[in-house]
Amino acid sequence: CFCIRRVVKFRRTGESSRSDEDAISGEHEVQIEGVRTELEAVELEDGAAVPKEFANPTDDTFMVEDAVEAIGFGKFQWKLSVITGLAWASNYAMEMMILSILAPQLHCEWRLPSWQVALLTSVVFVGMMSSSTLWGNISDQYGRKTGLKISVLWTLYYGILSGFAPVYSWILVLRGLVGFGIGGVPQSVTLYAEFLPMKARAKCILLIEVFWALGTVFEVLLAVLVMPTLGWRWLLILSALPLLLFAVLCFWLPESARYDVLSGNQEKAIATLKRIATENGAPMPLGKLIISRQEDRGKMRDLFTPHFRWTTLLLWFIWFSNAFSYYGLVLLTTEFFQAGDVCSISSKRKAVKAKCSLTCEYLTEEDYTDLLWTTLSEFPGVLVTLWIIDRIGRKKTMALSFLVFSFCSLLLFLCVE
């Protein structure tokens, strides 16, 4: 630790609390004292270049968000994209896609009525709904990384146990517990977003959907290889194993620097930011790391204040509609592949009644091929959205995608009719 009392001129690149006149001039004179550094003391001669560590200062104080913006997007974020994407693919996409494959198989093998087949799928979403708030509280109290690791290990454990379920009631409970663990997966997006500069945030969050598509494709390919020979039990076990890979990679995954600062662990946050700067080959901002300017922790009721009320309701409606339509179509796909409904017509007291029951038909290789094509169709949509999001904005892109999805769903309905 040493003090620099020499005045260093630099061009300001970050936010500052200085006057507007200083901001207009673009150059400032700042006396930096008490700056902590790992370098030895160096005297600057007249005309000498400023060391790299001082080349991009933002202010005498900075927040985590300022540091993330100053460091920018680089090698660290690319690694983080792959690891969090792996969690999204293995813990979310694969466990969701397996429902459309497992339901018709158990319908035939255990002779389940339609309502029990539907309950087998619904219980996973009930588990997600009941646990999402709990995982959020755990992540806020003990860290994003901690909450994510626990949810992944939880899903891994009960996902493997599902393969050993002897009867329907057991697999119903175990798949519900799997859904309970899946409710913590969105913490991967939270952790990811807190390391992204604002300019790259929209595209990078959308990039997660690429890993969703990869997870669904991998699940279908795994089903093609496993189902004809080993059966659904091995499919459940093997589908959970990618979570073990993510659990190992979690040793590289850092805790959110923003969480560390808000928890009073500033030294750990600075170490994390220095690590990111080193991997990206960018300089750290100068000065002292301070806590966010937010004074009070947000509460649930804040979402319904006059400023956020309509935004909250609209986003909830959009998310509900999207989830209802998407999961409905995905889970209904394998029902379309079945032989169809066997309907019998009986007449009693001159009244005609039609009774229909879903036939028992195992999925064939051709059905898996068709299912693979439907999952591959998600890639063009994600890539097109990545291309247009910077051109028309996030709001218009969301509205356009919603209209396209609604139109295609209507066409599908007309084709089925």
Side-chain angles (χ1 to χ4, degrees):
C1 179
F2 68 99
C3 296
I4 300 178
R5 295 188 176 278
R6 173 174 169 201
V7 175
V8 179
K9 289 187 177 182
F10 62 89
R11 186 169 296 277
R12 177 170 166 267
T13 57
E15 293 184 358
S16 173
S17 58
R18 302 182 188 282
S19 65
D20 294 338
E21 295 180 358
D22 290 340
I24 296 174
S25 66
E27 292 189 352
H28 313 279
E29 293 187 356
V30 175
Q31 186 168 335
I32 306 171
E33 296 186 354
V35 179
R36 302 182 67 89
T37 180
E38 298 176 358
L39 299 178
E40 297 180 358
V42 177
E43 292 184 5
L44 297 180
E45 299 178 357
D46 293 338
V50 178
K52 182 179 180 181
E53 286 73 16
F54 295 89
N56 188 30
T58 56
D59 206 344
D60 51 349
T61 60
F62 66 94
M63 299 183 298
V64 172
E65 293 82 358
D66 300 326
V68 171
E69 293 293 331
I71 295 171
F73 190 93
K75 187 178 179 181
F76 172 84
Q77 280 78 10
W78 281 115
K79 291 181 181 179
L80 189 63
S81 300
V82 174
I83 295 178
T84 54
L86 177 62
W88 197 253
S90 58
N91 198 11
Y92 207 162
M94 292 180 65
E95 294 296 335
M96 288 289 102
M97 191 65 196
I98 203 174
L99 295 176
S100 61
I101 300 171
L102 183 63
Q105 187 72 20
L106 293 183
H107 171 67
C108 292
E109 188 170 325
W110 287 354
R111 300 295 175 180
L112 300 177
S114 298
W115 70 270
Q116 286 187 335
V117 176
L119 186 59
L120 183 63
T121 300
S122 301
V123 72
V124 177
F125 293 97
V126 171
M128 293 172 58
M129 180 181 65
S130 61
S131 68
S132 57
T133 303
L134 173 65
W135 291 120
N137 290 332
I138 291 175
S139 299
D140 282 343
Q141 187 170 356
Y142 300 104
R144 321 293 193 229
K145 179 181 175 180
T146 302
L148 183 59
K149 282 198 302 184
I150 295 175
S151 68
V152 166
L153 292 174
W154 179 290
T155 308
L156 172 64
Y157 179 71
Y158 288 106
I160 293 176
L161 282 185
S162 299
F164 299 94
V167 293
Y168 173 77
S169 58
W170 270 101
I171 196 169
L172 193 68
V173 172
L174 291 172
R175 295 312 294 176
L177 291 172
V178 168
F180 191 91
I182 295 175
V185 181
Q187 293 305 319
S188 62
V189 181
T190 303
L191 178 63
Y192 184 45
E194 291 183 351
F195 285 114
L196 293 174
M198 188 177 298
K199 186 177 181 181
R201 194 170 299 161
K203 281 188 175 181
C204 289
I205 296 299
L206 187 60
L207 186 65
I208 293 289
E209 294 303 317
V210 174
F211 289 93
W212 172 281
L214 287 173
T216 56
V217 169
F218 181 76
E219 184 63 39
V220 175
L221 292 175
L222 187 63
V224 172
L225 297 175
V226 174
M227 290 294 287
T229 56
L230 300 177
W232 62 270
R233 295 183 184 276
W234 275 102
L235 180 64
L236 288 175
I237 295 172
L238 294 176
S239 297
L241 290 183
L243 295 172
L244 183 61
L245 176 60
F246 174 78
V248 173
L249 293 176
C250 273
F251 288 101
W252 178 90
L253 198 66
E255 181 55 85
S256 167
R258 186 171 184 270
Y259 167 79
D260 286 332
V261 168
L262 293 175
S263 302
N265 198 346
Q266 291 187 331
E267 292 183 359
K268 187 177 178 182
I270 292 174
T272 300
L273 293 173
K274 285 183 178 179
R275 170 187 167 185
I276 301 173
T278 301
E279 289 198 38
N280 288 1
M284 272 284 292
L286 291 179
K288 180 182 178 181
L289 180 62
I290 60 173
I291 302 177
S292 174
R293 296 188 181 94
Q294 181 178 343
E295 296 180 359
D296 299 323
R297 183 178 175 180
K299 298 178 178 61
M300 187 70 178
R301 64 172 178 266
D302 294 339
L303 297 174
F304 299 97
T305 57
H307 185 68
F308 294 111
R309 184 182 303 143
W310 285 111
T311 302
T312 299
L313 295 176
L314 284 173
L315 288 177
W316 281 6
F317 172 75
I318 291 172
W319 190 255
F320 171 83
S321 303
N322 181 68
F324 179 82
S325 303
Y326 177 81
Y327 290 122
L329 291 175
V330 168
L331 298 174
L332 195 62
T333 301
T334 51
E335 303 293 345
F336 291 150
F337 295 159
Q338 304 252 324
D341 293 335
V342 177
C343 301
S344 60
I345 301 178
S346 61
S347 60
K348 185 177 181 180
R349 295 182 181 179
K350 298 181 181 182
V352 178
K353 296 181 180 180
K355 296 181 179 180
C356 298
S357 61
L358 187 64
T359 61
C360 172
E361 293 287 341
Y362 290 98
L363 296 179
T364 64
E365 185 177 347
E366 183 180 354
D367 293 332
Y368 286 120
T369 302
D370 293 339
L371 190 61
L372 180 62
W373 280 112
T374 59
T375 54
L376 286 172
S377 63
E378 295 188 28
F379 285 100
V382 175
L383 296 177
V384 170
T385 305
L386 284 171
W387 182 73
I388 67 173
I389 193 169
D390 284 339
R391 288 163 175 78
I392 65 175
R394 304 175 189 180
K395 180 180 177 180
K396 292 182 179 179
T397 301
M398 182 175 62
L400 180 62
S401 63
F402 208 68
L403 289 175
V404 172
F405 184 80
S406 302
F407 177 73
C408 293
S409 300
L410 179 61
L411 286 181
L412 179 62
F413 173 77
L414 294 177
C415 290
V416 172
E417 287 294 317

